[in-house]
Amino acid sequence: MLNYRKRFLIVISLLFSMLILFACSEEESSTESSSSGSNTLTTIIDRGELVCGVNDNLTGFGVINSAGEFEGFDIDYCKAVAAAILGDSSKVEYVPLTASARFEALAAEEIDILIRNTTWTASRDRDLGNDFTAPTFYDGQGMMVKASSGYDSIESMAGATVCVLQGTTTELNLDDRFTGSGIAYTPLTFETNDPLQAAYEEGRCDGWTTDKSGLASKRAGFSNPSDHVVLAETLSKEPLGPLTRDNDSELYDVVQWVVFGMMQAEESGISSSNVSSMAANPTDPGMARLLGVGFDGGEPTDFGFGIPVDFMQNVISQVGNYGEVYDKHLVPLGLTREGSLNAQWTEGGLIYAPPFR
Ligand SMILES: N[C@@H](CCC(=O)N[C@@H](CS)C(=O)NCC(=O)O)C(=O)O
């Protein structure tokens, strides 16, 4: 009898410890899955809207137009991502950010993605915990001076005061270039662009340095652009493009392949005006894979992005291919593609998409 009771107790305590063990391992695995990086793609789908961190003060890239709407090259990439994920390019909440606030806003999950003329660098990629997609615009830093100043090179600017924005690569490159070459200068730094521009116009600084695309944009906004000259020298490499948080690979992969998809569409001759006929009748299997349709009676290829297989059709019909977006926003600033890094690879540039296969 005693023996039976003892056995019963052993079985009960064994069952009990197994229960505890199971509960603990459950807890462990659930913490593990929640700490293994968030899935912002799911959040965007559930919310029905993409929250995009942008610039609101840079004509051509991100600006609020006279109708009170955001527009520009970067804005079109926010729209493209929304079209890919949600099937509707208008499902975007734009969050305007200064250069110095942008990375914190992304890390704090105030935005899903940052598309704000942002340069891909090692420290921003690694230390700040971001993931950059392929660049959408290859830029470089320049220096703008008044035409009347007589400055014609960086070397001629010894002793100059230079206006620069805080929290940018610009600030660091400026010092590399001047201090590195033993050229004395005084930086005048600003948190936002408008007071910087005022200081430049009032002559409180002799030069204004930033990305050459930014200088083209600001120069075009002056009442008399020819009063200002952008020096020929390019001080740095500024590859600009979208970024997501580290370990957010579902969203990252979607953004990356939207970027590539727009490049590939241009290369394949698919534009907003012909995408529906190309999708109805693709001329080759590669085009069918890009547009998420079958070829010659076959099934469409699903790359497993977790969004509709024909996502690139929505992107191209609602936003356009790379060339359409570039021509619309950047050509008016005088940023021609021919002979630049932003030409297609087939024309000597760096705009190149890996295979959709
Ligand atoms: N690409 C550089 C510079 C980015 C930047 O903030 N550029 C300035 C001038 S092109 C800008 O966006 N100004 C608009 C503003 O801050 O209001 C970076 O990522 O640090």
Side-chain angles (χ1 to χ4, degrees):
M1 187 69 197
L2 243 181
N3 217 354
Y4 175 78
R5 235 180 106 184
K6 214 172 180 178
R7 260 194 283 166
F8 178 76
L9 276 172
I10 288 169
V11 168
I12 288 290
S13 61
L14 247 165
L15 273 173
F16 195 68
S17 37
M18 269 170 74
L19 213 82
I20 289 175
L21 224 126
F22 179 72
C24 288
S25 63
E26 270 289 274
E27 199 179 354
E28 233 165 61
S29 68
S30 69
T31 353
E32 202 174 87
S33 71
S34 69
S35 66
S36 67
S38 57
N39 185 340
T40 309
L41 179 62
T42 309
T43 309
I44 296 165
I45 294 169
D46 292 347
R47 192 199 290 130
E49 194 171 53
L50 169 75
V51 183
C52 207
V54 297
N55 205 326
D56 64 352
N57 194 18
L58 192 62
T59 304
F61 284 85
V63 73
I64 302 176
N65 65 21
S66 51
E69 285 158 1
F70 281 87
E71 69 174 18
F73 182 83
D74 284 347
I75 301 300
D76 272 3
Y77 276 94
C78 299
K79 289 183 180 172
V81 172
I85 299 173
L86 303 165
D88 186 344
S89 65
S90 72
K91 300 269 186 250
V92 184
E93 184 198 333
Y94 298 101
V95 177
L97 294 163
T98 62
S100 36
R102 61 190 150 164
F103 300 113
E104 249 172 65
L106 184 63
E109 303 193 12
E110 288 162 21
I111 55 175
D112 298 324
I113 179 176
L114 178 67
I115 314 186
R116 189 207 174 280
N117 51 302
T118 297
T119 306
W120 184 5
T121 70
S123 58
R124 288 172 175 183
D125 199 325
R126 188 61 213 153
D127 299 348
L128 296 185
N130 301 307
D131 269 336
F132 287 78
T133 71
T136 51
F137 186 87
Y138 290 89
D139 210 343
Q141 187 172 332
M143 177 74 74
M144 182 161 65
V145 295
K146 298 216 173 87
S148 59
S149 69
Y151 295 126
D152 59 359
S153 65
I154 298 297
E155 266 68 26
S156 72
M157 293 187 75
T161 298
V162 181
C163 278
V164 64
L165 211 61
Q166 269 167 33
T168 58
T169 44
T170 322
E171 202 182 356
L172 312 171
N173 300 326
L174 172 67
D175 196 58
D176 278 3
R177 177 65 180 92
F178 277 74
T179 308
S181 311
I183 305 169
Y185 80 108
T186 308
L188 196 57
T189 57
F190 294 86
E191 163 79 24
T192 56
N193 205 72
D194 291 347
L196 184 156
Q197 178 158 343
Y200 170 77
E201 287 184 275
E202 287 159 14
R204 285 197 279 134
C205 48
D206 306 298
W208 176 356
T209 186
T210 187
D211 297 342
K212 279 192 163 174
S213 62
L215 292 179
S217 164
K218 298 298 176 188
R219 185 174 175 270
F222 283 126
S223 48
N224 202 353
S226 56
D227 285 351
H228 308 270
V229 180
V230 177
L231 300 182
E233 180 172 331
T234 301
L235 282 71
S236 67
K237 289 191 278 190
E238 306 290 327
L240 313 179
L243 52 147
T244 63
R245 287 178 282 277
D246 261 344
N247 304 316
D248 200 2
S249 36
E250 291 81 4
L251 177 61
Y252 174 81
D253 287 344
V254 166
V255 183
Q256 174 74 291
W257 285 90
V258 165
V259 166
F260 287 143
M262 290 167 74
M263 295 175 182
Q264 185 58 51
E266 177 180 37
E267 189 183 328
S268 303
I270 310 168
S271 67
S272 55
S273 50
N274 68 14
V275 61
S276 49
S277 59
M278 298 286 204
N281 203 1
T283 55
D284 63 74
M287 182 184 288
R289 285 192 297 270
L290 175 68
L291 299 177
V293 295
F295 186 72
D296 236 0
E299 284 299 305
T301 305
D302 183 354
F303 294 110
F305 285 118
I307 55 175
V309 288
D310 57 357
F311 67 96
M312 277 312 301
Q313 285 189 52
N314 287 328
V315 171
I316 302 163
S317 65
Q318 296 178 34
V319 184
N321 68 33
Y322 180 86
E324 287 180 279
V325 171
Y326 189 106
D327 290 350
K328 182 174 172 194
H329 300 293
L330 303 183
V331 168
L333 300 178
L335 297 168
T336 43
R337 280 179 82 190
E338 292 71 34
S340 82
L341 296 175
N342 298 303
Q344 290 186 69
W345 66 283
T346 47
E347 288 164 15
L350 295 178
I351 299 304
Y352 177 102
F356 271 74
R357 141 169 324 283

